[in-house]
Amino acid sequence: MIGIVDYGMGNLFSVSKALERLGADYFISADNQELLAADALIVPGVGSFRDAMERLPKDTIKEFAATGKPVLGICLGMQLLFESSDENGFTEGLCLLPGNVRRFPGRTKDGVPYKVPHMGWNRLKFVQPSPLLKNLEEEYVYFVHSYFVDAGTSDVLLAKTDYHEQVAAVVGRNNIFGMQFHPEKSSKLGMALLDNFLKMAVERKAVR
């Protein structure tokens, strides 16, 4: 049973429809006890980092993460997993993964302007193996974002792409995972990534 965190800023419909297509049992809830009882959590997100952190059930997500059950952040939801963002001023994140969120400068190092937000299809480049990437190929996924995680060479970086900066596209450590793009809108690869996340939840439940 997958819990989708409803805090008023998520792409709940598209994520839930993707889970339905994969045959997954899920619920959408803002109730802390219901969310803690799930086998895995998905934290969606669209909008401002600061507004999201004000509305997010932070303690519940941290308590859930401490159980070892899988957590997946999508788009803004992925950014919330990190230490901080400079969107609308400094805001502390959930601190479940190391790294910070910053805005695309909109200008290359040579001074050439480029469009922000980053919007469109980019190909992933896998950086290190992970159950989330198991048996998958480096295909294209769909991005819409003005801020990105500056992960550098951090060991949480699972897959990346480039948009004038290195973009952390898929991240993960232990049971905490994130996707900067929208997997539910990313055709075959996006659905395969969600399916791998569901498989991790099933395997985790089987060994409990």
Side-chain angles (χ1 to χ4, degrees):
M1 181 63 69
I2 310 300
I4 303 176
V5 182
D6 181 5
Y7 61 103
M9 293 183 64
N11 44 330
L12 303 177
F13 179 78
S14 58
V15 172
S16 62
K17 287 301 177 185
L19 294 181
E20 285 180 15
R21 292 199 298 273
L22 292 169
D25 293 325
Y26 72 90
F27 64 89
I28 299 171
S29 181
D31 183 85
N32 293 332
Q33 293 308 309
E34 287 182 356
L35 293 172
L36 288 171
D39 297 310
L41 275 191
I42 293 180
V43 183
V46 176
S48 161
F49 190 103
R50 173 169 287 184
D51 291 345
M53 285 303 297
E54 289 177 354
R55 300 183 181 194
L56 202 66
K58 298 180 280 292
D59 291 342
T60 298
I61 294 172
K62 289 180 179 181
E63 183 177 347
F64 187 95
T67 67
K69 293 187 287 187
V71 177
L72 174 65
I74 294 175
C75 197
L76 173 63
M78 174 187 124
Q79 296 178 4
L80 299 172
L81 301 175
F82 285 84
E83 294 171 285
S84 69
S85 172
D86 61 12
E87 185 175 4
N88 298 325
F90 177 87
T91 304
E92 185 174 299
L94 290 168
C95 299
L96 295 174
L97 294 174
N100 305 100
V101 181
R102 62 186 183 92
R103 195 178 193 277
F104 285 110
R107 200 170 283 273
T108 68
K109 294 176 181 178
D110 296 329
V112 179
Y114 62 86
K115 184 180 178 182
V116 178
H118 169 212
M119 184 182 300
W121 294 81
N122 285 66
R123 189 167 189 162
L124 296 186
K125 179 178 177 59
F126 296 165
V127 176
Q128 59 178 316
S130 166
L132 200 59
L133 306 178
K134 187 176 180 181
N135 297 326
L136 303 185
E137 296 183 0
E138 297 176 332
E139 297 292 347
Y140 287 83
V141 292
Y142 186 70
F143 292 84
V144 182
H145 61 125
S146 298
Y147 288 77
F148 67 101
V149 173
D150 187 3
T153 57
S154 169
D155 64 351
V156 304
L157 185 64
L158 303 181
K160 63 182 179 180
T161 194
D162 290 301
Y163 186 69
H164 307 285
E165 303 276 349
Q166 176 181 283
V167 175
V170 183
V171 296
R173 175 188 283 173
N174 299 325
N175 59 314
I176 311 298
F177 298 92
M179 303 178 198
Q180 177 61 71
F181 50 90
H182 291 274
E184 76 281 7
K185 298 178 182 179
S186 294
S187 192
K188 183 179 177 181
L189 178 55
M191 293 300 288
L193 284 160
L194 284 176
D195 193 43
N196 275 351
F197 179 74
L198 297 178
K199 288 175 182 174
M200 284 191 289
V202 171
E203 290 170 1
R204 174 66 171 72
K205 184 177 181 181
V207 300
R208 290 211 304 269

